[in-house]
Amino acid sequence: DTKGAAFLWSSSTWTDLSPLVTDGVKRIMDVDALDTTTVFAVGNKIDGSGVETGVLLRYELTAVPPRFVIVAELSTCTTIAEPADEDEPLTEVEVLSAANVWISGECGRTWNWNGVALVPFKSQTDTHVQGMSFPSNALGYVVGHRNSNTQSAVVRVQSQ
């Protein structure tokens, strides 16, 4: 009954770029744009049986209507015994190019979208990611927390 919403501000007009209702996207958590055509977002969806998954969305200018479409889905983290609603499966996205997109979320899980598939990267933390910054194509920083921890974590992620 809820729908993830995304809008584009251009000059003096808001344009709805939300995924189709039939895509099942419940919430969009973050968006990042490299330029006007290279735009990605992360969020979550609920499938027909009520299972929540994380989604990576890409802005498709050629779609009718132009909108965000799902390019990848990820299951929720089940390795940490905490309430399932403590955090979203995916919370952060950083776009370095159309073939170099970093995403992260609950349990410190981090992936790199190479334009075709998601490649997992160990973030060396099990905290829920709340922020990311990538100053170069191969180096990034991830920060997170978990309610059951008394401290936060800052982790350096480096691809080979």
Side-chain angles (χ1 to χ4, degrees):
D1 61 322
T2 59
K3 175 187 172 201
F7 294 88
L8 168 69
W9 172 257
S10 180
S11 301
S12 62
T13 306
W14 286 102
T15 304
D16 189 353
L17 304 178
S18 301
L20 296 176
V21 172
T22 54
D23 289 340
V25 176
K26 177 181 137 186
R27 183 174 295 136
I28 296 176
M29 299 299 297
D30 193 21
V31 64
D32 193 32
L34 181 65
D35 52 42
T36 58
T37 61
T38 311
V39 185
F40 286 82
V42 292
N44 67 2
K45 70 176 272 187
I46 307 293
D47 71 14
S49 60
V51 176
E52 181 179 38
T53 60
V55 292
L56 173 63
L57 305 127
R58 179 177 54 217
Y59 173 60
E60 294 288 341
L61 183 61
T62 59
V64 179
R67 66 183 182 279
F68 279 97
V69 297
I70 297 171
V71 295
E73 290 187 43
L74 297 160
S75 62
T76 58
C77 173
T78 58
T79 59
I80 297 179
E82 290 189 334
D85 61 350
E86 182 174 312
D87 210 352
E88 301 295 330
L90 291 173
T91 55
E92 295 292 321
V93 60
E94 291 290 323
V95 178
L96 302 175
S97 74
N100 191 0
V101 178
W102 290 87
I103 64 173
S104 197
E106 64 186 351
C107 302
R109 300 183 315 159
T110 303
W111 295 266
N112 180 254
W113 171 258
N114 62 17
V116 177
L118 288 171
V119 178
F121 278 81
K122 287 202 167 278
S123 70
Q124 307 303 316
T125 183
D126 64 359
T127 62
H128 304 312
V129 175
Q130 302 299 313
M132 291 193 311
S133 181
F134 280 78
S136 75
N137 284 336
L139 177 67
Y141 296 90
V142 175
V143 64
H145 85 282
R146 225 174 63 217
N147 287 340
S148 62
N149 281 355
T150 58
Q151 63 215 20
S152 295
V154 177
V155 177
R156 178 179 159 149
V157 178
Q158 188 164 359
S159 65
Q160 305 303 332

